Amino acid sequence: MKLQRKNRLRATALGALAVSGALVLTACGSDDNSGGTTGGNGGKTSAASNIKCDDAKGQLPASGSSAQKNAMDLWAKNYMAGCSGVEINYKSSSSGEGIVAFNQGTVGFAGSDSALKPEEVAESKKICKGGQGINLPMVGGPIAIGFHLEGVDSLTLDAPTLAKIFDTKIKKWNDPAIAKLNTGVKLPDKDIQAFHRSEDSGTTQNLGKYLGAAAPSDWKYEAEKKWPAPNGQAASGSSGVAAQVKQVDGSIGYFELSYAASQSISTVDINTGGAAPVKATSENASKAIAAAKIKGTGKDLALELDYTTKAEGAYPIVLVTYEVVCDKGNKPETLSTVKSFLNYTAGDEGQKLLTEAGYAPIPAEINAKVRETIAALS
């Protein structure tokens, strides 16, 4: 409990950094009196944080996944404090909007909760002169199923029951299917209000992949970024879904763990068929992500996740957010800053911050390939 409380406090502090819409953080000048050198040129390194600024300079626009917003906020703040003269502007919107912006050439990189589709890779070749868009896994973590049910603090569900809830086939909280999974819990005769994302979302797609793999008889929809089921209530962004669940008694929704932690929203334990239900924690998500396989080819590092795992303590509803860049043909004016910033986020210091913020680091073996690929970007 002490660990959970500590993570909640950290996530709350991190959540305070969040601002809606575009994130424009003004680069901080150096107030470091330690005698170390900070700066954005000549391969200099910030002594305060070991950030290698290289030739980073000016503004770096980026946009996409709201799932990684809290991590990106913290990374940008720390990076700009170490590299004067650089402004990281990450607009938290959605994975779909981020990829559109990337393929229109308006951002240096995009954040996405799902790997590029073949048609999106083909479109990227117009922007990546001589190259194409590739996926760099950067942030892992659980997709928490948050709920608000007065008088109920702990709830266990499995994939078939979740599928029926989000497909509005189960309409009451005291439904026998829910009661069977929660022996001894007094469930109210209250309508379920299921919230989903209103815009194209990689978080939606990853939830769909889980439901389709773990409950194929109950979730017949394709795993797409657009919410597929005909009913339910919509809200914008992970923050919007979390806000609705926080406010509405009888509600349930899905969002990254950091949103649940920062707003003290109760989360569902998942019955995977293993020895015991699994809680949504960074550590439990890491156990599932560690089994991921690289399915991308060449420099593309897209991952294949196992949503049906029954491994002890492995939380199955996970996502990995990718930073989408060109392998070749990145904009010359932002290439150095892209490489420097992503090298920091993929580095030991950047990845360490993820656990403290309610996310999960990328497994070391995969992350080593991410760093190697970043170094070769051109």
Side-chain angles (χ1 to χ4, degrees), residues 8-17:
R8 189 179 299 116
L9 291 172
R10 283 171 171 163
T12 301
L14 177 58
L17 295 172

Side-chain angles (χ1 to χ4, degrees), residues 54 60 102 107-110 116 128-138 298-301 322-332 334-346 369-378:
D54 291 324
L60 174 58
F102 178 77
V107 294
F109 71 89
L116 293 168
C128 305
K129 303 300 182 183
Q132 65 180 44
I134 58 172
N135 305 281
L136 300 178
M138 198 66 68
K299 294 182 179 179
D300 184 76
L301 299 177
Y322 300 95
E323 311 317 327
V324 177
V325 295
C326 299
D327 57 355
K328 298 178 182 178
N330 289 281
K331 293 181 179 181
T334 57
L335 175 60
S336 293
T337 308
V338 166
K339 292 177 70 172
S340 172
F341 179 64
L342 295 184
N343 188 57
Y344 161 65
T345 65
K369 296 180 179 180
V370 172
R371 296 191 209 188
E372 184 180 313
T373 302
I374 292 170
L377 295 178
S378 62

Side-chain angles (χ1 to χ4, degrees), residues 14-283:
L14 177 58
L17 295 172
V19 292
S20 60
L23 167 68
V24 184
L25 296 174
T26 305
C28 302
S30 174
D31 293 321
D32 180 18
N33 297 318
S34 64
T37 301
T38 63
N41 55 61
K44 294 180 180 179
T45 300
S46 164
S49 57
N50 297 317
I51 297 174
K52 191 174 182 182
C53 303
D54 291 324
D55 295 314
K57 60 184 178 181
Q59 294 189 7
L60 174 58
S63 70
S65 167
S66 65
Q68 67 176 14
K69 173 178 167 49
N70 290 343
M72 195 60 69
D73 284 1
L74 188 57
W75 279 337
K77 177 178 179 290
N78 289 355
Y79 179 84
M80 292 190 298
C83 297
S84 61
V86 183
E87 184 178 299
I88 307 297
N89 179 359
Y90 183 79
K91 180 183 178 182
S92 171
S93 50
S94 69
S95 299
E97 292 178 55
I99 290 172
V100 168
F102 178 77
N103 282 339
Q104 290 176 341
T106 60
V107 294
F109 71 89
S112 177
D113 309 349
S114 295
L116 293 168
K117 295 179 180 179
E119 59 268 28
E120 292 169 337
V121 173
E123 184 73 15
S124 73
K125 294 179 180 180
K126 299 176 183 178
I127 297 299
C128 305
K129 303 300 182 183
Q132 65 180 44
I134 58 172
N135 305 281
L136 300 178
M138 198 66 68
V139 179
I143 299 175
I145 306 299
F147 71 96
H148 178 178
L149 192 57
E150 294 296 335
V152 177
D153 298 321
S154 178
L155 189 68
T156 296
L157 297 172
D158 59 12
T161 307
L162 274 173
K164 292 171 187 173
I165 288 173
F166 280 113
D167 201 18
T168 62
K169 298 293 176 57
I170 290 179
K171 302 179 183 296
K172 293 281 188 176
W173 278 110
N174 62 348
D175 187 277
I178 300 177
K180 184 178 179 180
L181 293 164
N182 295 274
T183 304
V185 177
K186 188 175 181 180
L187 297 165
D189 181 14
K190 186 183 291 291
D191 289 341
I192 296 174
Q193 300 195 53
F195 286 90
H196 59 263
R197 293 279 290 274
S198 60
E199 75 287 5
D200 286 3
S201 161
T203 311
T204 295
Q205 188 172 37
N206 279 280
L207 176 66
K209 288 178 180 179
Y210 163 73
L211 293 174
S217 297
D218 298 294
W219 191 258
K220 301 292 189 179
Y221 305 103
E222 291 294 322
E224 298 291 348
K225 292 176 182 175
K226 183 177 180 60
W227 181 255
N231 299 309
Q233 301 183 58
S236 178
S238 290
S239 59
V241 175
Q244 290 298 318
V245 173
K246 176 74 172 179
Q247 294 170 11
V248 179
D249 185 21
S251 62
I252 189 169
Y254 59 93
F255 33 79
E256 293 66 44
L257 181 61
S258 59
Y259 290 92
S262 65
Q263 298 190 48
S264 299
I265 297 172
S266 297
T267 60
V268 171
D269 298 343
I270 301 299
N271 183 334
T272 64
V278 185
K279 294 186 178 299
T281 68
S282 298
E283 293 79 9

